[in-house]
Amino acid sequence: MPDALPTAAESRLDSAIRQLKFRDPETARKLAGTIARVTKEIGRSPVSVMHVCGSHEQAIAKFGLRATFPKDLNVIMGPGCPVCITDMPEVDEGVALARQGLLIASYGDMLKVRGTVQSLNDAQADGADVAVVYSASQAVELARSTDREVVFFATGFETTAVATAAVIRSNPPKNFSVLSAHKYIPPVMEIVAEMPENRVEGFLAAGHAATITGWGIFEAFAEKHRLPVVVAGFEPLDILAGLARLVELVRDREPAVVNMFPRCVTKEGNRRAQEELWSVFRPVGGRWRGIAHVPNGNLRLRDEWAHLDARRRFPIDLASLWDYAPSALTADCICGDIMSGIASPSNCKLFGKECVPDTPVGACMVSSEGTCKIWHQYGGHPDLGAL
Amino acid sequence: MTANLAGSRRTGLALLEERVTLKQGAGGRAMRALIEDIFLDGAPELSPKDVGPLAMDDGAALWIGDRWVVVTTDSHVVHPIFFPGGDIGRLSICGTVNDLAMMGATDVLALTCGAILEEGFPRTDLERVRASMAEACRESGAPIVTGDTKVMGRGEIDGIVLNTTGVAVTNRIVRDCGLRPGDRIVVTGAIGDHGLAIMAARHQLALEGDLRSDVAPINGLIRAALESAGESIVAMKDPTRGGLSSALHEMADKSRVGILLEETRVPVHDAVRAAGDLLGIDPLHVANEGKAVIGVAPEAAELLVETLRAHPLGREAAIVGTCLAERPGQIVLDTGFGRRLLAEPEGEPLPRIC
């Protein structure tokens, strides 16, 4: 074994072992009892709350938490997977640039997601050059290692957008540019809050995004919609404690914002990260896959960074894509309804049959944060209460 | 089987593809489908007392005279070949000895060893591997009685491939399909050590200080278990490729029972669980090379665990689950926080683990 890496890796293992202390089943049982009791006190059925984060769904599925939720409590999955909500025309832009001979770098999961007709993987099979990177800085390194134009197809919420902003501000080489499909979570909560189909009575907000934005950002939202918001982490006890607090706020009709993830999240958030984010990006309206138009939900490069904006540097010839017919299966895909919390994967006739992780039809089956992929990985959510 | 697979090919759910994929070598459904579709086509009819290839058990058992001759074979390809806690030589002996033991045949008559080497393979490495095989043979009491060596050109194979075949005789066969509702599931020790040790070594995560493969011959441990619990032991399997999850799925499917697995009772070392979290890999889905899953009648479960714990290789043995009449073929995982179905792994997250 080489001696070069151990320190960082060892400390990662140590910290991972420390995380295990947040997994006490006895405390979990008490919290589940609180959730059941308070939900009953509300006296309505169902009480619907929504989490807006793929990592929350993954923890809920992995630890089997859904089986402990009372039948009267409906914990809905919201639009929380950055891969799933990247809109088809955004993928089309990446595919078109790849087919025009540029080297496209993106996160691995993005390669599998279909645009209107093709995925980046399909384009690669047709001879285009596509590279998998694990970070924005790795895309910059790729550009430094070649004379070719490298376009970083940048996706993800505010957490990854901060990393993209940092490399844009760090004087990247001239052959590097960014095709931003970054999304900003708070505006989509406005959309979902107003969807009559959902009747969401409270939100569980994502702890990692709140680490950047701070929990204070939700105060105006809670006030405006008269809905409570609880910021929660990702260990099973974090989620159960967050849900217990959330149903209490629903019961008490108290549209407050409560931070149940204080070991990472402050009211102000990470100021420096916010400055970097907003110095590079501006919020614009645009579509999210399956959700429709979200005002201020997309992040685009500001004018001063136009020279690094792939949309302004290269003509994007979308017409070159239309020779291909879209898959007939996509007509049956209900990812849009799943992401807006109206349907669950078991309502989809493709789920686990034509649509599986190796051959995904819809975007929700691609990423480890996608609802369908999570349900598939953890055996779905059959009613196991009777055993 | 064939008709179903042809159907699934049309719908895009292709378990069998036009070319063999790594997934088909990694345990789980895809591998079983490949074996059933290709290698079991035309498998021989054996007498009712025999266990043949169609049973897809850990080995074959042939009734000869007044007892069974048990035969099993296993090829070993692992990367890296030297890993924390063992190497490919030790693995090759333990894998075959343990497969025999899982059939109830704990006294090994003989092993064979076929070695295929790549041109340029270092002689010092070969000597190290051989010494390790000799040590594992001594521990298990299993002699290598014949062998074969081939050398292939550089790049034609990756370093070294070892095949071992084992033969033993026994008065009683234990199958992997004998579970009944109410039976308890026992594991003989901590789960996931081998798989996570290999992955940490391969990723050069330098996590191996606390992560060591469990590779060991467990025929002595199983002999003690069978002597103590006798006919109460109704099924055995070693959780190698695909890990505990794959072994339980196969046992539940063949026995037509469901299994309620209590995750908090499954012994998993902290370092293994944490490394699994880091790598996004469930310790229940990765290989073990010195463990057994045992199905036992409920009244004998405590005695069995006591016996196992008295043995150096069984100190962490535990009752981890119960067989159900409901949900045949499925594993219901009680996480301690809630319940979900345990999905069957479709393949190792990384190839060539054992």
Side-chain angles (χ1 to χ4, degrees):
Chain A
M1 293 293 296
D3 293 322
L5 283 168
T7 316
E10 272 165 12
S11 69
R12 281 171 66 207
L13 183 62
D14 288 346
S15 112
I17 289 174
R18 277 196 298 279
Q19 289 294 316
L20 300 176
K21 75 178 178 181
F22 297 108
R23 299 190 187 169
D24 171 34
E26 188 50 41
T27 310
R29 264 189 290 281
K30 287 181 188 154
L31 287 167
T34 305
I35 293 169
R37 176 174 54 77
V38 175
T39 304
K40 199 168 180 188
E41 286 167 6
I42 294 172
R44 271 195 310 280
S45 183
V47 175
S48 293
V49 296
M50 176 179 273
H51 66 72
V52 202
C53 179
S55 302
H56 275 158
E57 183 60 26
Q58 192 171 45
I60 287 171
K62 177 178 175 183
F63 292 99
L65 300 186
R66 214 171 276 280
T68 71
F69 300 157
K71 288 218 179 330
D72 293 338
L73 179 65
N74 192 11
V75 180
I76 303 170
M77 306 142 288
C81 164
V83 173
C84 307
I85 47 78
T86 303
D87 202 18
M88 287 206 229
E90 290 176 313
V91 177
D92 291 343
E93 289 178 304
V95 170
L97 288 178
R99 290 163 58 88
Q100 284 162 223
L102 281 67
L103 175 52
I104 306 293
S106 194
Y107 300 115
D109 283 340
M110 280 316 303
L111 272 56
K112 295 185 231 163
V113 178
R114 269 177 179 274
T116 312
V117 291
Q118 271 198 327
S119 65
L120 284 166
N121 267 343
D122 296 332
Q124 192 174 28
D126 279 356
D129 280 332
V130 179
V132 173
V133 290
Y134 295 93
S135 64
S137 54
Q138 209 183 354
V140 172
E141 281 167 33
L142 183 65
R144 286 192 209 285
S145 71
T146 176
D147 294 335
R148 297 183 55 189
E149 285 288 344
V150 173
V151 176
F152 177 45
F153 183 33
T155 60
F157 299 120
E158 36 274 47
T159 39
T160 46
V162 168
T164 306
V167 302
I168 283 176
R169 287 164 56 98
S170 67
N171 194 25
K174 286 194 164 43
N175 61 331
F176 175 81
S177 58
V178 170
L179 179 66
S180 171
H182 282 303
K183 303 277 188 282
Y184 187 51
I185 281 275
V188 82
M189 288 172 62
E190 302 272 350
I191 301 281
V192 175
E194 287 165 10
M195 279 185 177
E197 307 94 306
N198 284 329
R199 300 180 188 281
V200 172
E201 298 181 59
F203 282 89
L204 203 65
H208 42 32
T211 306
I212 306 286
T213 61
W215 61 262
I217 196 170
F218 299 113
E219 284 185 322
F221 170 86
E223 178 66 27
K224 177 180 168 192
H225 296 280
R226 309 299 297 164
L227 289 173
V229 177
V230 172
V231 175
F234 304 96
E235 290 293 335
L237 296 186
D238 288 328
I239 292 171
L240 290 170
L243 278 173
R245 192 74 189 91
L246 187 58
V247 288
E248 283 173 352
L249 293 170
V250 171
R251 177 195 61 190
D252 301 342
R253 298 175 186 278
E254 195 183 339
V257 180
V258 175
N259 177 21
M260 295 293 281
F261 198 33
R263 66 181 188 272
C264 294
V265 174
T266 62
K267 182 168 186 181
E268 296 76 26
N270 183 334
R271 284 258 169 82
R272 201 176 140 216
Q274 289 167 32
E275 279 163 21
E276 294 226 334
L277 180 72
W278 297 120
S279 71
V280 169
F281 292 106
R282 66 195 166 91
V284 302
R287 279 182 54 89
W288 290 32
R289 187 189 292 234
I291 308 286
H293 185 88
V294 180
N296 296 322
N298 287 1
L299 298 176
R300 295 290 182 264
L301 268 61
R302 291 184 175 278
D303 289 343
E304 63 217 84
W305 306 104
H307 59 291
L308 291 171
D309 188 342
R311 286 191 182 85
R312 299 194 234 186
R313 252 167 74 165
F314 307 105
I316 298 180
D317 177 19
L318 291 175
S320 71
L321 299 172
W322 310 139
D323 302 343
Y324 294 81
S327 161
L329 287 174
T330 53
D332 290 330
C333 172
I334 61 164
C335 277
D337 287 350
I338 289 169
M339 279 182 284
S340 36
I342 299 165
S344 72
S346 45
N347 299 126
C348 179
K349 60 182 174 183
L350 303 177
F351 177 74
K353 300 184 184 81
E354 286 84 356
C355 186
V356 290
D358 272 2
T359 51
V361 176
C364 294
M365 189 57 94
V366 171
S367 154
S368 57
E369 289 180 47
T371 301
C372 295
K373 170 87 174 279
I374 293 167
W375 282 43
H376 192 270
Q377 182 180 358
Y378 294 116
H381 291 289
D383 181 8
L384 299 172
L387 294 173
Chain B
M1 188 74 206
T2 312
N4 287 344
L5 287 166
S8 64
R9 215 180 255 141
R10 274 197 304 278
T11 57
L13 182 70
L15 285 176
L16 289 182
E17 305 180 6
E18 296 308 315
R19 290 171 192 274
V20 174
T21 64
L22 283 169
K23 191 169 82 175
Q24 289 162 337
R29 278 195 310 151
M31 189 183 78
R32 291 215 300 276
L34 176 77
I35 293 170
E36 284 171 11
D37 204 52
I38 303 289
F39 293 105
L40 296 186
D41 192 22
E45 291 285 332
L46 299 175
S47 77
K49 267 197 154 169
D50 295 339
V51 179
L54 291 170
M56 291 185 73
D57 211 320
D58 294 300
L62 307 170
W63 179 251
I64 295 175
D66 57 353
R67 52 190 175 165
W68 280 275
V69 173
V70 179
V71 186
T72 190
T73 190
D74 210 344
S75 295
H76 301 272
V77 283
V78 62
H79 184 81
I81 62 169
F82 298 104
F83 46 82
D87 59 43
I88 191 171
R90 184 172 178 79
L91 191 63
S92 71
I93 301 302
C94 299
T96 293
V97 166
N98 293 349
D99 277 347
L100 291 172
M102 292 306 106
M103 299 297 292
T106 56
D107 296 307
V108 184
L109 279 182
L111 298 176
T112 73
C113 175
I116 307 176
L117 305 169
E118 184 185 14
E119 176 188 19
F121 189 79
R123 191 183 161 104
T124 49
D125 283 358
L126 194 55
E127 283 168 356
R128 204 173 144 193
V129 167
R130 192 208 62 83
S132 173
M133 293 176 81
E135 175 69 14
C137 285
R138 194 188 56 72
E139 287 173 42
S140 61
I144 297 178
V145 297
T146 185
D148 175 57
T149 310
K150 295 283 185 294
V151 177
M152 295 181 73
R154 198 180 288 269
E156 291 175 4
I157 62 163
D158 185 8
I160 178 170
V161 176
L162 293 176
N163 173 277
T164 50
T165 295
V167 181
V169 294
T170 182
N171 293 320
R172 183 185 167 217
I173 290 291
V174 182
R175 306 282 304 272
D176 59 6
C177 58
L179 299 175
R180 305 153 307 186
D183 285 337
R184 309 304 302 275
I185 300 291
V186 168
V187 295
T188 60
I191 291 300
D193 290 354
H194 177 77
L196 266 312
I198 292 274
M199 284 179 210
R202 192 178 301 155
H203 284 289
Q204 303 192 337
L205 285 182
L207 303 177
E208 80 271 30
D210 293 302
L211 290 172
R212 291 176 66 78
S213 168
D214 61 344
V215 56
I218 55 168
N219 54 329
L221 176 72
I222 298 302
R223 189 184 303 125
L226 289 169
E227 282 169 3
S228 152
E231 301 286 326
S232 299
I233 290 179
V234 295
M236 290 197 290
K237 194 153 199 71
D238 55 344
T240 55
R241 284 174 300 183
L244 182 62
S245 172
S246 195
L248 289 177
H249 273 96
E250 205 173 328
M251 294 171 90
D253 187 41
K254 289 177 177 175
S255 309
R256 302 314 296 155
V257 298
I259 294 175
L260 176 65
L261 180 66
E262 295 179 65
E263 192 171 22
T264 51
R265 290 172 176 257
V266 177
V268 176
H269 295 139
D270 270 359
V272 168
R273 194 180 296 287
D277 277 1
L278 280 179
L279 296 168
I281 291 165
D282 189 340
L284 299 181
H285 287 175
V286 302
N288 309 273
E289 294 294 345
K291 300 288 152 44
V293 187
I294 303 177
V296 61
E299 62 276 8
E302 294 289 345
L303 170 70
L304 173 63
V305 168
E306 208 174 289
T307 307
L308 291 167
R309 285 186 178 168
H311 191 283
L313 291 174
R315 281 197 209 102
E316 295 170 285
I319 301 171
V320 298
T322 307
C323 298
L324 311 168
E326 299 88 359
R327 297 193 170 271
Q330 294 187 334
I331 314 300
V332 177
L333 185 73
D334 188 321
T335 67
F337 302 93
R339 284 178 177 183
R340 65 172 163 94
L341 288 183
L342 183 63
E344 186 174 8
E346 298 229 354
E348 290 284 358
L350 292 157
R352 288 195 298 136
I353 204 155
C354 61

